[in-house]
Amino acid sequence: METLISTILSVFGLSQRANQVKSEKKSEASRLNTEFETLLHKTALYLRSEQVSLRHRLQRISEDTTELVTQADTMIETLLDEIDTGLETAKNNRETIQTVSSFAKLRQWDEVISVVYQQNSAAEIQMERAKTAVAQFHMILDNNNVM
């Protein structure tokens, strides 16, 4: 009888540990998704502020800058559209993470975490793309002595 009780308690303990690990995985996935979303928002904010800066600098040129303004706006709007897609993905991730069954397997949580890590990497690359593109416009203006 004692071994039966010990076995039942042991199984119950293993079950509790598995649930705790799943809960930790869910928290990690949620945290990573929040980081992904935050990085996208930071990139969008950066682009919007740089768009204003570039427009002001371009207006200081005495020649017609319509084409340059259009190029800068198009580049920034394209990047912002990509960020909007990423933000929609983050929203979908959040909903999925919140509604996943407690019966989900650990392997499934590992897969979710892996995907969100990849999305974070993509968001970091997006920020670098934005900085590089904006820097190129500023470099052109710097080389033409436009303050």
Side-chain angles (χ1 to χ4, degrees):
M1 182 72 167
E2 188 176 309
T3 56
L4 177 62
I5 293 173
S6 295
T7 303
I8 291 171
L9 290 175
S10 175
V11 169
F12 183 69
L14 290 175
S15 175
Q16 281 185 322
R17 176 64 186 141
N19 286 336
Q20 180 183 1
V21 170
K22 287 177 190 177
S23 177
E24 290 168 1
K25 297 281 186 177
K26 183 176 183 175
S27 293
E28 182 179 3
S30 182
R31 179 187 57 79
L32 288 169
N33 191 61
T34 299
E35 289 175 9
F36 170 56
E37 192 171 11
T38 300
L39 186 54
L40 291 172
H41 281 295
K42 285 180 180 179
T43 304
L45 182 62
Y46 168 78
L47 284 168
R48 288 186 181 104
S49 68
E50 285 299 323
Q51 186 174 30
V52 171
S53 174
L54 286 170
R55 285 174 157 252
H56 283 232
R57 288 188 75 188
L58 288 168
Q59 288 173 353
R60 292 183 189 143
I61 300 174
S62 58
E63 359 175 310
D64 182 20
T65 59
T66 306
E67 185 178 336
L68 283 174
V69 170
T70 301
Q71 287 177 0
D73 283 347
T74 299
M75 179 236 3
I76 289 172
E77 292 304 321
T78 298
L79 291 170
L80 288 171
D81 286 345
E82 292 172 6
I83 289 169
D84 285 343
T85 301
L87 289 170
E88 187 63 33
T89 299
K91 178 184 172 201
N92 292 339
N93 288 352
R94 188 176 342 102
E95 291 170 359
T96 299
I97 290 167
Q98 290 172 352
T99 60
V100 168
S101 166
S102 60
F103 295 107
K105 295 181 174 130
L106 286 175
R107 180 181 49 81
Q108 290 170 315
W109 279 115
D110 288 336
E111 289 170 3
V112 168
I113 289 168
S114 176
V115 167
V116 180
Y117 266 123
Q118 291 171 4
Q119 291 169 340
N120 277 351
S121 295
E124 289 172 5
I125 291 168
Q126 183 72 350
M127 176 61 102
E128 290 306 312
R129 281 182 60 213
K131 287 180 178 180
T132 300
V134 168
Q136 289 173 345
F137 272 97
H138 281 298
M139 186 179 67
I140 291 167
L141 294 169
D142 291 344
N143 289 340
N144 289 296
N145 297 319
V146 177
M147 296 297 158

